[in-house]
PDB file of all heavy atoms in Angstrom:
ATOM      1  N   LEU A 403      10.986 -10.194 -19.125  1.00  0.00           N
ATOM      2  CA  LEU A 403      11.630 -11.507 -19.005  1.00  0.00           C
ATOM      3  C   LEU A 403      11.631 -12.206 -20.378  1.00  0.00           C
ATOM      4  O   LEU A 403      10.712 -11.999 -21.176  1.00  0.00           O
ATOM      5  CB  LEU A 403      10.859 -12.387 -18.026  1.00  0.00           C
ATOM      6  CG  LEU A 403      10.872 -12.026 -16.528  1.00  0.00           C
ATOM      7  CD1 LEU A 403      10.061 -13.038 -15.736  1.00  0.00           C
ATOM      8  CD2 LEU A 403      12.301 -11.968 -16.014  1.00  0.00           C
ATOM      9  N   THR A 404      12.633 -13.032 -20.618  1.00  0.00           N
ATOM     10  CA  THR A 404      12.656 -13.807 -21.873  1.00  0.00           C
ATOM     11  C   THR A 404      11.923 -15.117 -21.649  1.00  0.00           C
ATOM     12  O   THR A 404      11.711 -15.534 -20.503  1.00  0.00           O
ATOM     13  CB  THR A 404      14.096 -14.124 -22.290  1.00  0.00           C
ATOM     14  OG1 THR A 404      14.665 -14.933 -21.237  1.00  0.00           O
ATOM     15  CG2 THR A 404      14.927 -12.846 -22.455  1.00  0.00           C
ATOM     16  N   LEU A 405      11.559 -15.760 -22.756  1.00  0.00           N
ATOM     17  CA  LEU A 405      10.896 -17.049 -22.645  1.00  0.00           C
ATOM     18  C   LEU A 405      11.802 -18.030 -21.889  1.00  0.00           C
ATOM     19  O   LEU A 405      11.349 -18.836 -21.073  1.00  0.00           O
ATOM     20  CB  LEU A 405      10.542 -17.584 -24.039  1.00  0.00           C
ATOM     21  CG  LEU A 405       9.796 -18.913 -24.058  1.00  0.00           C
ATOM     22  CD1 LEU A 405       8.497 -18.845 -23.275  1.00  0.00           C
ATOM     23  CD2 LEU A 405       9.528 -19.365 -25.491  1.00  0.00           C
ATOM     24  N   LYS A 406      13.097 -17.917 -22.165  1.00  0.00           N
ATOM     25  CA  LYS A 406      14.072 -18.791 -21.511  1.00  0.00           C
ATOM     26  C   LYS A 406      14.013 -18.640 -19.987  1.00  0.00           C
ATOM     27  O   LYS A 406      14.028 -19.623 -19.233  1.00  0.00           O
ATOM     28  CB  LYS A 406      15.484 -18.431 -21.998  1.00  0.00           C
ATOM     29  CG  LYS A 406      16.175 -19.621 -22.534  1.00  0.00           C
ATOM     30  CD  LYS A 406      17.527 -19.253 -22.998  1.00  0.00           C
ATOM     31  CE  LYS A 406      18.264 -20.570 -23.009  1.00  0.00           C
ATOM     32  NZ  LYS A 406      19.439 -20.508 -23.753  1.00  0.00           N
ATOM     33  N   GLU A 407      13.921 -17.376 -19.585  1.00  0.00           N
ATOM     34  CA  GLU A 407      13.837 -17.136 -18.135  1.00  0.00           C
ATOM     35  C   GLU A 407      12.568 -17.755 -17.556  1.00  0.00           C
ATOM     36  O   GLU A 407      12.594 -18.400 -16.512  1.00  0.00           O
ATOM     37  CB  GLU A 407      13.889 -15.621 -17.843  1.00  0.00           C
ATOM     38  CG  GLU A 407      15.281 -15.038 -17.932  1.00  0.00           C
ATOM     39  CD  GLU A 407      15.290 -13.493 -17.812  1.00  0.00           C
ATOM     40  OE1 GLU A 407      14.604 -12.823 -18.606  1.00  0.00           O
ATOM     41  OE2 GLU A 407      15.966 -13.001 -16.920  1.00  0.00           O
ATOM     42  N   TYR A 408      11.438 -17.560 -18.294  1.00  0.00           N
ATOM     43  CA  TYR A 408      10.191 -18.184 -17.830  1.00  0.00           C
ATOM     44  C   TYR A 408      10.353 -19.691 -17.702  1.00  0.00           C
ATOM     45  O   TYR A 408       9.948 -20.310 -16.728  1.00  0.00           O
ATOM     46  CB  TYR A 408       9.037 -17.869 -18.796  1.00  0.00           C
ATOM     47  CG  TYR A 408       8.353 -16.539 -18.502  1.00  0.00           C
ATOM     48  CD1 TYR A 408       8.446 -15.469 -19.378  1.00  0.00           C
ATOM     49  CD2 TYR A 408       7.604 -16.381 -17.336  1.00  0.00           C
ATOM     50  CE1 TYR A 408       7.832 -14.257 -19.105  1.00  0.00           C
ATOM     51  CE2 TYR A 408       6.976 -15.164 -17.057  1.00  0.00           C
ATOM     52  CZ  TYR A 408       7.096 -14.106 -17.945  1.00  0.00           C
ATOM     53  OH  TYR A 408       6.483 -12.914 -17.646  1.00  0.00           O
ATOM     54  N   GLN A 409      10.992 -20.251 -18.753  1.00  0.00           N
ATOM     55  CA  GLN A 409      11.088 -21.717 -18.781  1.00  0.00           C
ATOM     56  C   GLN A 409      12.002 -22.262 -17.696  1.00  0.00           C
ATOM     57  O   GLN A 409      11.925 -23.417 -17.323  1.00  0.00           O
ATOM     58  CB  GLN A 409      11.510 -22.182 -20.176  1.00  0.00           C
ATOM     59  CG  GLN A 409      10.308 -22.049 -21.132  1.00  0.00           C
ATOM     60  CD  GLN A 409      10.652 -22.325 -22.592  1.00  0.00           C
ATOM     61  OE1 GLN A 409      11.839 -22.265 -22.977  1.00  0.00           O
ATOM     62  NE2 GLN A 409       9.640 -22.605 -23.381  1.00  0.00           N
ATOM     63  N   SER A 410      12.880 -21.365 -17.171  1.00  0.00           N
ATOM     64  CA  SER A 410      13.727 -21.838 -16.077  1.00  0.00           C
ATOM     65  C   SER A 410      12.902 -22.062 -14.797  1.00  0.00           C
ATOM     66  O   SER A 410      13.313 -22.738 -13.884  1.00  0.00           O
ATOM     67  CB  SER A 410      14.870 -20.847 -15.815  1.00  0.00           C
ATOM     68  OG  SER A 410      14.337 -19.660 -15.276  1.00  0.00           O
ATOM     69  N   PHE A 411      11.674 -21.490 -14.790  1.00  0.00           N
ATOM     70  CA  PHE A 411      10.772 -21.733 -13.643  1.00  0.00           C
ATOM     71  C   PHE A 411       9.814 -22.879 -13.922  1.00  0.00           C
ATOM     72  O   PHE A 411       9.444 -23.613 -13.017  1.00  0.00           O
ATOM     73  CB  PHE A 411       9.988 -20.450 -13.318  1.00  0.00           C
ATOM     74  CG  PHE A 411      10.848 -19.354 -12.769  1.00  0.00           C
ATOM     75  CD1 PHE A 411      11.370 -18.370 -13.611  1.00  0.00           C
ATOM     76  CD2 PHE A 411      11.179 -19.323 -11.418  1.00  0.00           C
ATOM     77  CE1 PHE A 411      12.173 -17.358 -13.116  1.00  0.00           C
ATOM     78  CE2 PHE A 411      11.981 -18.314 -10.917  1.00  0.00           C
ATOM     79  CZ  PHE A 411      12.493 -17.333 -11.777  1.00  0.00           C
ATOM     80  N   PHE A 420       3.281 -14.465 -23.469  1.00  0.00           N
ATOM     81  CA  PHE A 420       3.369 -12.990 -23.574  1.00  0.00           C
ATOM     82  C   PHE A 420       2.011 -12.334 -23.862  1.00  0.00           C
ATOM     83  O   PHE A 420       1.780 -11.180 -23.506  1.00  0.00           O
ATOM     84  CB  PHE A 420       4.448 -12.586 -24.591  1.00  0.00           C
ATOM     85  CG  PHE A 420       5.826 -12.979 -24.101  1.00  0.00           C
ATOM     86  CD1 PHE A 420       6.472 -14.105 -24.595  1.00  0.00           C
ATOM     87  CD2 PHE A 420       6.431 -12.252 -23.080  1.00  0.00           C
ATOM     88  CE1 PHE A 420       7.713 -14.478 -24.114  1.00  0.00           C
ATOM     89  CE2 PHE A 420       7.669 -12.631 -22.590  1.00  0.00           C
ATOM     90  CZ  PHE A 420       8.329 -13.754 -23.102  1.00  0.00           C
TER      91      PHE A 420
END
Side-chain angles (χ1 to χ4, degrees):
L403 291 181
T404 62
L405 182 58
K406 234 180 160 163
E407 282 173 303
Y408 274 112
Q409 285 173 341
S410 68
F411 292 95
F420 294 102

